Amino acid sequence: MIDRTQIPAVILIDSQMGENIGASTRAMLNCGLDELRLVRPRNGWPDPAAEAMSVGALDKIQPVQVYETTAAAIADCHFVLATTARTRDMVKPVYTARTASAELVRRAATGQKTAILFGPERTGLDNDDATLAHGLVTIPLNPDFSSLNLGQAVLLLAYEWSQQLIIQPHSKPQKITPDTLPVSHEKLVEMFERLENELESHHFFRTEGQKPTMIRNLRNMLLRAQMTDQEVRTFHGIITALTGNKKSKEE
Amino acid sequence: MIDRTQIPAVILIDSQMGENIGASTRAMLNCGLDELRLVRPRNGWPDPAAEAMSVGALDKIQPVQVYETTAAAIADCHFVLATTARTRDMVKPVYTARTASAELVRRAATGQKTAILFGPERTGLDNDDATLAHGLVTIPLNPDFSSLNLGQAVLLLAYEWSQQLIIQPHSKPQKITPDTLPVSHEKLVEMFERLENELESHHFFRTEGQKPTMIRNLRNMLLRAQMTDQEVRTFHGIITALTGNKKSKEE
């Protein structure tokens, strides 16, 4: 588990719709972020619309803090990033959501309190607020259709942050129980040989010359399935059903 | 620019709310995905609620195709992933959104048509639909608060896909000849059904109650082999040899 002080605060500035605050809270909690700060929410705070849209998330994060100014909201922070949809004429580092997340994790690990700023729905962050940040974050999206709503923008940042903490597992077949372990090669070869013998006696191999290649292709194909013990037993059952011939040692 | 044929189709199954279809479309277009297929949308199609929520995105993607069955919706696909919130007792590769995206890009680069399945809002994909997929995708989120709405789930997958193209120049695509393309789902399902019919008439399924599970397990096993066209023909040949019954349309 990571230390709570290492989790970036999400700071929503001049949000217009409680629904968007609620959706943002839900997205935060989905991704393990639990500190929300609001600067001048238009409909005040608390806001029943935010509560409803958060589907319980507002009750599970830390108490929301409300501020009059952005400067006050980030007063305790050491490293602040400002999300922005458009390139600005500012000499600041510009991060993607992914590189920003890596930087947030790196800073937090050295004891820095971090935060991410999000501007109001329509206009985004104003230049003064963006200027307060150490860097800008622009999510690379389809340039012809890049507008995200607030909850989606929070989700993508929160998601990227959470993925920094997870070691990406390789895509291997799940191994849940001993039942799903791949079968031993011995049993696999036994199955191959039974199938091949049945195919032989059913005149599947048109010529002796083709037979070795056909057998190789067949084995390659079945090997790729990485069959379990149970699946090999099922496959024996199929051969028995289709041919009417039991496996020699079949129980 | 990437070729349109390399873009995965997003397939929404039994969606209940037009608003969620609209939000999904918007998320897709944000990330450069432009092919939406619907299976049995509850409120029919077209749906004014979807149109309103898409904020124009529905007019900018390819015409939406609507299907009666999941099998029909993926008939032309070579590689299909099923998004799922919970671990299932299926022996299939399990991807994160990120590893799934890498695999989708890799497959598309070899000429495979790819798709991502999303189930209905409340319940997620049912087991039969998940069984049709080559792999599962689970987005790693806060285990204590992991429920995403449909639009958010589509956004995260679409976003990860788009980031593969932007950030990671993926490893060189394998040289692959038309012969080694995975078979289309249509031919695969035809093979499954023939096998299952033969097993039925050979009394393989001991009870009607066990049959659905046995069929699911069988399909999962054979799907993992990712058979080519030639291998599916060979498999038909095996069934013909073992049963003495020709495939109805067999040459």
Side-chain angles (χ1 to χ4, degrees):
Chain A
M1 233 21 255
I2 61 161
D3 183 335
R4 175 156 284 179
T5 61
Q6 298 187 318
I7 299 180
V10 168
I11 304 180
L12 306 184
I13 300 169
D14 289 319
S15 301
Q16 300 174 298
M17 307 272 292
E19 289 82 353
N20 290 329
I21 298 175
S24 298
T25 310
R26 184 179 171 180
M28 286 170 58
L29 192 57
N30 281 150
C31 302
L33 295 181
D34 70 349
E35 187 179 351
L36 176 61
R37 302 178 182 189
L38 302 175
V39 178
R40 298 177 302 261
R42 191 184 60 177
N43 299 327
W45 196 259
D47 180 338
E51 186 67 48
M53 195 70 165
S54 85
V55 201
L58 269 169
D59 302 329
K60 293 183 180 161
I61 65 169
Q62 296 184 60
V64 174
Q65 303 294 321
V66 182
Y67 299 85
E68 276 306 304
T69 65
T70 304
I74 61 175
D76 63 333
C77 297
H78 304 100
F79 183 71
V80 176
L81 293 177
T83 55
T84 166
R86 48 188 199 284
T87 314
R88 293 171 190 246
D89 194 15
M90 292 185 184
V91 185
K92 278 190 198 295
V94 177
Y95 298 88
T96 63
R98 191 162 298 172
T99 59
S101 299
E103 185 68 11
L104 288 167
V105 168
R106 195 181 73 70
R107 299 271 179 166
T110 65
Q112 300 182 36
K113 176 68 193 167
T114 62
I116 316 170
L117 306 180
F118 294 85
E121 288 88 337
R122 291 271 170 89
T123 53
L125 277 179
D126 72 25
N127 278 333
D128 287 339
D129 283 339
T131 297
L132 287 174
H134 297 90
L136 304 178
V137 188
T138 303
I139 305 174
L141 294 171
N142 180 355
D144 298 328
F145 195 84
S146 63
S147 83
L148 285 175
N149 72 29
L150 182 57
Q152 289 173 315
V154 171
L155 176 63
L156 290 182
L157 263 297
Y159 168 76
E160 280 287 11
W161 178 81
S162 72
Q163 301 307 294
Q164 290 291 329
L165 306 182
I166 293 167
I167 296 163
Q168 295 287 328
H170 269 304
S171 58
K172 285 194 182 149
Q174 252 181 326
K175 288 168 186 163
I176 305 162
T177 67
D179 250 15
T180 66
L181 274 177
V183 72
S184 70
H185 240 281
E186 184 178 22
K187 289 186 188 167
L188 204 54
V189 167
E190 185 193 29
M191 181 191 87
F192 288 155
E193 290 176 348
R194 179 177 175 214
L195 174 64
E196 289 149 13
N197 287 337
E198 286 291 355
L199 289 174
E200 175 85 60
S201 67
H202 285 81
H203 314 292
F204 175 77
F205 304 109
R206 306 206 176 152
T207 70
E208 274 302 309
Q210 287 178 324
K211 188 176 152 186
T213 307
M214 293 185 82
I215 284 180
R216 266 203 302 277
N217 292 344
L218 213 52
R219 289 186 175 203
N220 278 334
M221 174 182 90
L222 290 170
L223 265 168
R224 289 203 309 272
Q226 301 198 25
M227 295 161 81
T228 64
D229 264 336
Q230 176 54 54
E231 288 169 342
V232 165
R233 285 194 296 274
T234 301
F235 202 88
H236 276 295
I238 290 174
I239 300 175
T240 302
L242 297 186
T243 61
N245 302 325
K246 277 200 189 281
K247 182 180 163 192
S248 43
K249 292 181 289 185
E250 205 165 19
E251 41 294 42
Chain B
M1 235 19 251
I2 62 163
D3 183 336
R4 173 155 285 178
T5 61
Q6 298 187 318
I7 299 180
V10 168
I11 304 181
L12 306 184
I13 301 170
D14 290 319
S15 301
Q16 299 174 296
M17 307 272 291
E19 288 81 353
N20 290 329
I21 298 175
S24 299
T25 310
R26 185 179 172 180
M28 287 170 58
L29 191 57
N30 280 150
C31 302
L33 296 180
D34 70 349
E35 188 179 352
L36 175 62
R37 302 178 183 190
L38 301 175
V39 179
R40 298 179 302 261
R42 191 184 61 177
N43 300 326
W45 194 259
D47 181 338
E51 187 66 47
M53 195 69 167
S54 85
V55 201
L58 269 169
D59 301 329
K60 293 183 180 162
I61 64 170
Q62 295 184 61
V64 174
Q65 303 293 322
V66 182
Y67 299 85
E68 276 305 304
T69 64
T70 303
I74 61 175
D76 63 332
C77 297
H78 304 99
F79 184 71
V80 176
L81 293 178
T83 55
T84 167
R86 49 188 199 285
T87 313
R88 292 168 191 252
D89 195 14
M90 291 187 183
V91 184
K92 278 190 196 297
V94 177
Y95 299 89
T96 62
R98 191 161 296 173
T99 59
S101 298
E103 186 69 9
L104 288 168
V105 169
R106 195 181 73 70
R107 299 271 179 168
T110 65
Q112 300 183 34
K113 177 69 194 168
T114 61
I116 316 169
L117 306 180
F118 295 84
E121 288 87 337
R122 290 271 170 87
T123 54
L125 277 178
D126 73 25
N127 279 332
D128 287 336
D129 284 338
T131 295
L132 287 173
H134 296 91
L136 305 178
V137 187
T138 303
I139 304 174
L141 294 172
N142 179 355
D144 297 328
F145 195 85
S146 63
S147 84
L148 284 176
N149 73 29
L150 182 57
Q152 289 173 314
V154 170
L155 176 64
L156 290 182
L157 263 296
Y159 168 76
E160 280 286 11
W161 178 80
S162 72
Q163 300 307 296
Q164 289 290 329
L165 305 182
I166 291 166
I167 292 172
Q168 323 228 354
H170 53 81
S171 54
K172 290 249 162 73
Q174 276 173 306
K175 269 280 183 212
I176 218 163
T177 64
D179 250 15
T180 64
L181 268 179
V183 72
S184 70
H185 242 282
E186 187 176 23
K187 288 187 187 164
L188 205 53
V189 167
E190 185 193 30
M191 182 191 87
F192 288 156
E193 290 176 350
R194 180 177 175 215
L195 175 63
E196 290 150 15
N197 288 336
E198 286 290 354
L199 290 173
E200 175 84 60
S201 66
H202 285 81
H203 313 292
F204 174 76
F205 304 109
R206 306 207 176 154
T207 69
E208 273 302 307
Q210 287 178 326
K211 189 174 151 189
T213 307
M214 293 185 80
I215 284 180
R216 269 205 298 275
N217 292 343
L218 213 53
R219 288 185 175 203
N220 278 334
M221 173 182 93
L222 290 170
L223 263 168
R224 290 203 310 272
Q226 303 205 17
M227 296 160 79
T228 64
D229 265 337
Q230 178 55 56
E231 287 168 344
V232 166
R233 285 195 294 274
T234 301
F235 201 87
H236 277 295
I238 291 175
I239 299 174
T240 302
L242 297 187
T243 61
N245 302 325
K246 277 200 188 284
K247 182 181 163 196
S248 44
K249 293 180 290 186
E250 206 165 21
E251 41 295 43

